[in-house]
Amino acid sequence: MKKIITSVLVLLAALPLAFADGKKEAYVIGFYNLENLFDTYHDDGKNDYEYLPDGANQWTEDKYEKKQHNMARVIRAMADENGTFHTLLGVSEIENRHVLEDLVSQPELAPANFQIVHYDGPDRRGVDVALLYRPENFTVIESKSIPFTFENSNVEFSLSKEEQEDFRTRDILMVRGLLGGEMFAIFVAHLPSRTGGKGGDLRSRGGEIMYAEANRLMDEFPGIKIVCMGDMNDNPTDDSMAVYMHGKEKIADVGERDFFSPFVSMLKAGYGSLPYQGQWNIYDIIVTNSAVVNPAPGTLGIIPIVKKKFYARIFHQPFMVQQEGQYKDQPKRTYSNGTFINGYSDHYPTYIVVSK
């Protein structure tokens, strides 16, 4: 894979967005890792001590308010480019519902009238996933938080039974509803970390859980359209996505129970949503089922939005990029080497567009 080089970032910044040419109905569906969006108060049972005023990060109300503004600025910048706010935006690395209520009430985002689906999860660090949605476009029918378990799996685990019982990570969120009058199910995930070079089996299990739940919905609701998104901590070519989620690079190869993985071709072309160990990767993945890529006539389906060729977008603008120093040309994050630099996130957001 290509190493981190300025030319890749220039390429990303220069992409024209061919957004729904002449389409009457078009909806943006995306994902954004908000990188440790914590408030300044301790939540019982959560390891949020770094993000307290007297913690390691000296996380004050002033820093919290700047972080909220920065997250809102990015989401608003996507809306300005697209001419519309996201209809559905999955987010990760959020501490609780309160931080999302503060986010959606920011002046940049208030016009979107975003509503929230969130469940408190068991993650030891205290971060969850959630879905923001616009109620004028999407009507929620049901939602649930799917626990990460080890039962009924085909994955060979490196953890012992005792370690499995003690393991805690983010739940996977599922929200089913009506988008433009059509039934959609949205999954939002934040699969286990790569810290220490481990966890490939755990991320494969995460893909396996999502795929099983998606199949259950396709059995129960024939024709349902499904979008799975998240920080998978894997590339779309890794086993979690390519094998256990049945992700396919080409639409022509997507069978009835497969998923279209638009970031495979983008990864091969040198795009990235975050750097890791000296290389660009795409961990911020969105995949869709066959009903989205092969829609019935007159119904919503995924459309190409980058160079009229790629079916997904990795979004960034210069203000989101570190302009100098050791991490020049990488995402401008909140902290750098322990110092608050008033940045955004260590991930770039990604999205797709569905249209009739």
Side-chain angles (χ1 to χ4, degrees), residues 132-334:
L132 307 182
Y133 70 95
R134 299 184 65 198
E136 58 266 42
N137 299 136
F138 184 75
T139 302
V140 174
I141 297 174
E142 68 162 333
S143 66
K144 69 176 183 175
S145 196
I146 304 166
F148 188 102
T149 64
F150 293 89
E151 292 80 19
N152 303 315
S153 176
N154 292 316
V155 178
E156 184 175 341
F157 297 109
S158 59
L159 299 182
S160 68
K161 289 295 183 183
E162 292 75 17
E163 289 171 325
Q164 291 177 24
E165 290 174 1
D166 190 55
F167 183 74
R168 300 290 183 273
T169 192
R170 283 75 60 174
D171 286 355
I172 298 168
L173 176 65
M174 190 284 294
V175 183
R176 183 171 64 88
L178 297 178
L179 174 59
E182 300 178 27
M183 188 178 293
F184 274 73
I186 310 298
F187 290 81
V188 187
H190 184 184
L191 298 187
S193 169
R194 282 179 169 250
T195 301
K198 299 180 180 180
D201 54 339
L202 301 177
R203 293 186 292 277
S204 289
R205 175 56 180 155
E208 187 180 49
I209 291 171
M210 272 192 293
Y211 184 74
E213 287 289 326
N215 271 273
R216 182 188 64 79
L217 288 172
M218 287 188 280
D219 288 337
E220 186 174 356
F221 305 103
I224 189 172
K225 296 179 177 180
I226 298 178
V227 178
C228 301
M229 66 175 75
D231 176 358
M232 306 305 183
N233 272 308
D234 264 343
N235 278 307
T237 50
D238 289 323
D239 282 355
S240 61
M241 296 292 103
V243 177
Y244 291 93
M245 270 303 302
H246 294 242
K248 306 296 182 183
E249 177 182 0
K250 298 178 181 178
I251 290 177
D253 294 333
V254 178
E256 184 179 354
R257 293 301 172 109
D258 293 324
F259 280 76
F260 174 50
S261 189
F263 288 110
V264 173
S265 58
M266 297 188 78
L267 182 69
K268 290 179 178 179
Y271 297 91
S273 65
L274 82 163
Y276 182 72
Q277 295 184 344
Q279 295 181 332
W280 279 103
N281 301 271
I282 303 178
Y283 292 172
D284 306 273
I285 294 170
I286 304 172
V287 299
T288 66
N289 73 337
S290 177
V292 180
V293 295
N294 297 301
T299 68
L300 294 169
I302 193 170
I303 62 171
I305 55 174
V306 175
K307 294 185 174 181
K308 298 186 178 180
K309 166 183 169 181
F310 294 111
Y311 285 78
R313 171 90 157 115
I314 301 168
F315 178 85
H316 81 273
Q317 291 186 353
F319 71 85
M320 300 163 61
V321 182
Q322 184 68 37
Q323 300 297 326
E324 59 187 5
Q326 178 183 358
Y327 301 108
K328 186 176 186 294
D329 295 328
Q330 298 185 28
K332 185 177 181 180
R333 55 197 305 166
T334 307

Side-chain angles (χ1 to χ4, degrees), residues 31-167:
F31 174 78
Y32 196 13
N33 180 324
L34 301 181
E35 194 205 10
N36 296 321
L37 184 56
F38 283 81
D39 61 26
T40 61
Y41 305 95
H42 175 58
D43 286 5
D44 288 342
K46 294 198 173 186
N47 185 12
D48 57 2
Y49 297 103
E50 283 185 294
Y51 288 89
L52 297 175
D54 59 353
N57 290 323
Q58 298 182 324
W59 193 240
T60 62
E61 281 293 322
D62 178 63
K63 290 176 181 176
Y64 174 68
E65 289 173 5
K66 288 177 178 177
K67 173 74 171 178
Q68 286 281 1
H69 166 72
N70 289 350
M71 296 294 89
R73 182 183 179 189
V74 172
I75 298 168
R76 180 56 185 256
M78 288 188 281
D80 289 343
E81 179 176 280
N82 291 331
T84 183
F85 281 103
H86 284 67
T87 291
L88 299 162
L89 178 61
V91 294
S92 70
E93 291 200 18
I94 53 100
E95 182 183 15
N96 50 38
R97 185 183 181 92
H98 167 244
V99 300
L100 292 177
E101 290 173 345
D102 284 350
L103 177 63
V104 300
S105 65
Q106 294 292 307
E108 297 92 340
L109 302 187
N113 189 32
F114 281 123
Q115 303 299 301
I116 301 165
V117 182
H118 166 260
Y119 293 86
D120 284 316
D123 182 70
R124 293 199 188 280
R125 196 159 64 88
V127 291
D128 300 324
V129 298
L131 182 71
L132 307 182
Y133 70 95
R134 299 184 65 198
E136 58 266 42
N137 299 136
F138 184 75
T139 302
V140 174
I141 297 174
E142 68 162 333
S143 66
K144 69 176 183 175
S145 196
I146 304 166
F148 188 102
T149 64
F150 293 89
E151 292 80 19
N152 303 315
S153 176
N154 292 316
V155 178
E156 184 175 341
F157 297 109
S158 59
L159 299 182
S160 68
K161 289 295 183 183
E162 292 75 17
E163 289 171 325
Q164 291 177 24
E165 290 174 1
D166 190 55
F167 183 74

